[in-house]
Amino acid sequence: MKKVIVIGNGMVGYKFCEKLRAKADHQEVSLLVYGEESIPAYDRVHLSEYFTNQSEEKLLMAPAGWYAENDITLKTGQLVTEIDKDHKMVRTHTGETEAYDYLILATGSRPMVPPIKGVDKKGVFVYRTIEDLDQIIAYAKNVKRGAVLGGGLLGLEAAKALMDLKLDAQVVEFASRLMPRQLDEAGSNMLKSKIESLGIEILLNKSTSEIQGNGKLDGLLFADGSRLDTDMLVISCGIISRDELAVQAGLETGKRGGFKVNSQLQTNDPHIYAIGEAASYNEMVYGLVAPGYDMADTVVDQVLGSGEKQFTGADMSTKLKLIGVEVGSFGDALGEITGSVPIVFEDKNTGIYKRINLSPDRKKLLGGIMVGDTSAYGMLLQITQNGMALPPNPEDLILGARGGESGGNSLMDLPDTAQICSCENVTKGDIVGAIKDQELTDLQQVRTCTKAGTGCGACSPMVGDIFTATLKSMGQVVRKTICAHFDYTRQELFSLIKVKGIQSFDELLDQYGSGDGCETCKPAVASLMASIWNDLILKQDTIQDTNDRFLANIQKGGSYSVVPRVAGGEITPDKLIAMGQVAKKYDLYTKITGGQRIDMFGARLNDLPAIWRELIDAGFESGHAYGKSLRTVKSCVGSTWCRYGLHDSVSFAIEIENRYKGLRSPHKLKGGVSGCRRECAEAQSKDFGLIATEIGYNLYVCGNGGANPQHAKLLAGDIDEKTAIKYLDRFLMFYIRTAEPLNRTAVWLNKLEGGIDYLREVVVNDSLGLGEELEKDMQALIASYHCEWKEAIEDEGMKARFRHFSNSDEYDPTQQFVPMREMKKPAEWQTVTKD
């Protein structure tokens, strides 16, 4: 029997144990693990989730019982202080000694703390362990401001944590841009802009010379003489390998730290291996979990004697979500290969930046950057890694095909050797083979069988797409479940909630789901609940989208917009005056929009209830600009004023908007009513639109503008107003029932088998016999309408939520504005000065 000792019970140490036990039982290998922390290995990748639930159990890689069940001796709270490689022994801080045949160093890393004057002051923390997070949470209860030193991946995660703790947060970065190893200047600027819009201040090119304060910090002094007032500091400036055992044991280390290893992950002692952040391979320390898992696999192979697998380095491509912003970086992201050709797409309006770098001959993809939209990340990474041919128009890779076929690659074009899950080293062939050979019928079975998508989770979308494509190739019907926590489609969940009378996310999860839910299913279920029961969205506070949380759209600089409903664009002089008085009183920027209403920008969170009260008293109500719901029904002036008008389009638009106001749906809805074929209301670019004819109206559906405009399709022609309402009721309810989450009506129609012809059969000809039921459901929603602003301010508990700090009614001091054409706009962060 071989005796193996693992020093370190982090993610990589745990993964080594898991992989070893999958290939060798306790009769072949005895396994002992020393863990320095008091609890078993936990998921550091999702450590920030601890701020939400503060549950150690939910982060555990496996419960303590798992180790015993797999004949693994786990000793927590034990620090190994000595290695005697001559006698193959280790000693702990308690004096305990153990012998080994093979020793695995999975000691991980520790935070790098710069030698800044005052770094030992009270209120300075690092961001590495659950214990660190407990200290941060406790200290944050008594302060208002918190800064993060470091603008890399972990630094931005730490900033998100401070924001979740209701603190005024700043990020201080020495370099000239955020995430300098992953993003170029333009990509970093886009990320910076999106993060700042959430109210987090970003300070670049700042060298911290001193942490000031009398006993506890009260500010940071920078080398340029400026100062940042803050009450606490979280340091996230990178990592240092835990290689302190090396000197005592006579083990070589890399120039940048870490136990020096060869391609078998052996140190200079053939019986001692190092993996994860403890290892230095070719003077490189890999700080991502996927290379660590690959190292664990290699060492298992070495320990069990086959010795065929080697570690030759790892791809450092990464995809993640930072403070709600999608970020991806892969291959030669920064275009450092000589002669590479960049193609860049930047949309500051939507906050999307994409860059791909082509080889000098323009035949291969070398790498790229994505900010704001990483939906194509998986495929682009595979094209890069597998040297696949580019489409005739390479810009299609980031823009999408613009008419005709793009000639691009599909998932099934990938070679079977393509690595889909880097954490578990699962290939496309492994996934397809498991589905076919073991007749797997749902995505969770694929994850369990292959372990694909069970690590960092970045590959999950691609695993799901391969699963779907494989089943389709086998002629099987594919059910697109909402996420890993619900083995149901959105349509099936809609029916379950309605038929079973389910009123809360927890109730639905307990009866029909598993786990704790995620950022995919929580807002989707909140949307379903709102669409079915039309209840106040604030009752779903823990699972709703950010804008719904405060019944307002958050804007650049962390302020909010207030958008009352102006049905059909018609407004009385008295209401115009009232709106102007509110805007003047609260110093709001006002703008007339293309949707024929007035948006008021720059409202502070604390002022929202007071603003709403004045608007409601003047006869206004919520315009639901923040929700996935009906926004506006635009109209021309119609026959009332226009000499070309055929019908009273204004009155009809007002009737329609008031009928469907507050209607919650998979995505936002916009409508239009034009009084003649001159189409001044642009009805054919809306989710539904009506255009007057000599004898009635033509009803168009499923159009939209935006980045991918699509003209609406004719659903019914020359119908009267009563029939138009009936068809709209059926159309909207059928869409709400059957669309996937976050699909606009145009996307939904494009996916709908049979297209507009099938939709016409269902809505106009009632081919499914659902017409009366759909109309009844719509009438129930209309009857239960309520103004969410009004309900929020009349409930003292809900009203109390509208403030920046949980323990104070003060305004956010970081929000500053500058003059612009007799009004105001958010100040650029770099122009803000502090006294």
Side-chain angles (χ1 to χ4, degrees), residues 583-642:
K584 188 172 183 178
K585 178 178 180 179
Y586 294 95
D587 190 23
L588 305 179
Y589 170 90
T590 54
K591 186 181 188 303
I592 298 173
T593 72
Q596 294 183 334
R597 58 185 182 184
I598 299 173
D599 288 6
M600 297 183 285
F601 294 87
R604 297 179 185 272
L605 180 62
N606 309 50
D607 287 337
L608 288 176
I611 293 172
W612 295 339
R613 168 51 67 194
E614 294 195 32
L615 290 172
I616 289 167
D617 288 346
F620 289 102
E621 58 189 6
S622 168
H624 287 87
Y626 49 83
K628 299 295 185 287
S629 55
L630 180 74
R631 299 292 179 83
T632 61
V633 179
K634 188 174 182 179
S635 75
C636 62
V637 296
S639 60
T640 306
W641 294 97
C642 179

Side-chain angles (χ1 to χ4, degrees), residues 60 80 104 131 143 153 480 530 570 576 640 700 747 749 817:
L60 292 180
V80 174
I104 316 301
E131 184 179 357
V143 300
L153 300 177
K480 190 166 184 178
E570 181 181 271
L576 273 174
T640 306
Y700 295 84
V747 176
L749 181 64
F817 303 90

Side-chain angles (χ1 to χ4, degrees), residues 307-341:
E308 296 179 359
K309 186 172 175 57
Q310 295 187 350
F311 180 80
T312 57
D315 181 73
M316 295 299 284
S317 301
T318 184
K319 184 187 83 167
L320 62 161
K321 199 166 188 177
L322 293 167
I323 320 182
V325 182
E326 295 180 359
V327 178
S329 176
F330 60 96
D332 179 25
L334 301 179
E336 297 174 331
I337 295 176
T338 303
S340 63
V341 181

Side-chain angles (χ1 to χ4, degrees), residues 11-12 58 174 207 312-313 386 393 440 451 471 496 499 635 657 664 729 747 767 820 830:
M11 295 179 72
V12 175
K58 291 180 179 180
F174 175 79
S207 175
T312 57
N386 294 283
N393 300 305
L440 305 182
K451 290 194 175 295
L471 288 186
L496 287 171
V499 173
S635 75
E657 184 163 345
R664 292 278 175 166
D729 283 358
V747 176
S767 61
M820 183 182 71
Q830 59 265 32

Side-chain angles (χ1 to χ4, degrees), residues 503-506 526 529-530 533-544 548-549 551 664 786 788 791-792 795 798 801:
Q503 299 287 335
S504 72
F505 177 80
D506 289 339
M529 297 283 185
W533 307 124
N534 205 17
D535 206 353
L536 182 62
I537 197 70
L538 289 184
K539 293 181 180 179
Q540 311 263 0
D541 182 59
T542 59
I543 65 172
Q544 64 191 276
D548 277 329
R549 190 180 299 270
L551 305 180
R664 292 278 175 166
H786 47 261
E788 293 183 327
E791 292 208 12
D795 184 311
M798 291 181 182
R801 300 178 186 180

Side-chain angles (χ1 to χ4, degrees), residues 703-715:
N704 68 251
N708 297 295
Q710 178 171 308
H711 260 70
K713 311 288 186 183
L714 180 65
L715 184 69

Side-chain angles (χ1 to χ4, degrees), residues 582-805:
V582 168
K584 188 172 183 178
K585 178 178 180 179
Y586 294 95
D587 190 23
L588 305 179
Y589 170 90
T590 54
K591 186 181 188 303
I592 298 173
T593 72
Q596 294 183 334
R597 58 185 182 184
I598 299 173
D599 288 6
M600 297 183 285
F601 294 87
R604 297 179 185 272
L605 180 62
N606 309 50
D607 287 337
L608 288 176
I611 293 172
W612 295 339
R613 168 51 67 194
E614 294 195 32
L615 290 172
I616 289 167
D617 288 346
F620 289 102
E621 58 189 6
S622 168
H624 287 87
Y626 49 83
K628 299 295 185 287
S629 55
L630 180 74
R631 299 292 179 83
T632 61
V633 179
K634 188 174 182 179
S635 75
C636 62
V637 296
S639 60
T640 306
W641 294 97
C642 179
R643 59 197 175 100
Y644 297 106
L646 298 173
H647 304 306
D648 184 0
S649 56
V650 179
S651 296
F652 198 25
I654 292 172
E655 178 185 353
I656 293 172
E657 184 163 345
N658 284 328
R659 182 176 182 82
Y660 301 125
K661 61 186 179 183
L663 179 68
R664 292 278 175 166
S665 51
H667 210 295
K668 64 185 177 184
L669 293 166
K670 295 182 179 182
V673 182
S674 288
C676 73
R677 297 183 189 274
R678 296 168 72 90
E679 247 285 69
C680 292
E682 302 164 335
Q684 289 187 79
S685 66
K686 304 294 191 288
D687 295 281
F688 59 87
L690 290 140
I691 301 176
T693 68
E694 285 74 8
I695 60 174
Y697 284 94
N698 286 342
L699 173 58
Y700 295 84
V701 296
C702 301
N704 68 251
N708 297 295
Q710 178 171 308
H711 260 70
K713 311 288 186 183
L714 180 65
L715 184 69
D718 291 325
I719 55 177
D720 58 29
E721 292 184 1
K722 183 178 179 181
T723 304
I725 292 291
K726 178 172 71 172
Y727 290 167
L728 274 174
D729 283 358
R730 293 179 179 182
F731 161 70
L732 291 170
M733 283 309 305
F734 190 59
Y735 162 64
I736 289 170
R737 282 193 179 190
T738 61
E740 295 173 15
L742 300 180
N743 274 192
R744 285 292 296 269
T745 55
V747 176
W748 168 68
L749 181 64
N750 293 340
K751 293 180 178 180
L752 193 64
E753 190 171 347
I756 188 65
D757 293 332
Y758 172 71
L759 184 60
R760 187 177 296 110
E761 286 296 314
V762 173
V763 172
V764 178
N765 299 326
D766 197 16
S767 61
L768 300 179
L770 291 174
E772 186 176 337
E773 182 181 338
L774 296 174
E775 293 169 39
K776 183 179 178 182
D777 285 351
M778 178 61 76
Q779 192 57 49
L781 292 176
I782 293 169
S784 60
Y785 167 77
H786 47 261
C787 173
E788 293 183 327
W789 286 355
K790 188 173 187 293
E791 292 208 12
I793 62 176
E794 291 181 351
D795 184 311
E796 290 301 321
M798 291 181 182
K799 186 178 176 181
R801 300 178 186 180
F802 294 90
R803 57 185 186 178
H804 285 283
F805 307 108

